[in-house]
Amino acid sequence: MSVFDIVIWGGAVLTVAGLAGILWCIWTVWRARRQGLDEAAFRARMQRVVAVNMAALAASVLGLMAVLLGIMLGN
């Protein structure tokens, strides 16, 4: 197993973790909408979800970049 294989698999794990975070955000927003919270509580929850969503999106992008880098440099 070369260094590039490790970069590819590490990137794949990071991408899957980011995707799981995005799915968690979707599920949390869906659940908050069904609860019928007042505007202040809904906004507070959405601020947290937006922060997690941005981190999950960044993790997915960085993971995909690592996969592509490992594939391009490994050949």
Side-chain angles (χ1 to χ4, degrees):
M1 181 174 253
S2 70
V3 174
F4 299 114
D5 291 335
I6 295 171
V7 170
I8 291 170
W9 284 106
V13 168
L14 192 58
T15 300
V16 169
L19 181 61
I22 291 170
L23 292 174
W24 176 86
C25 291
I26 292 169
W27 182 71
T28 302
V29 170
W30 178 71
R31 195 175 57 170
R33 292 180 107 190
R34 288 189 66 208
Q35 288 176 350
L37 301 172
D38 63 338
E39 186 175 345
F42 189 74
R43 282 184 183 264
R45 189 168 296 179
M46 288 304 105
Q47 284 178 346
R48 183 174 146 227
V49 169
V50 167
V52 172
N53 190 30
M54 294 301 286
L57 184 62
S60 292
V61 168
L62 290 174
L64 287 173
M65 290 169 86
V67 169
L68 287 175
L69 187 69
I71 289 171
M72 288 185 342
L73 294 178
N75 289 334

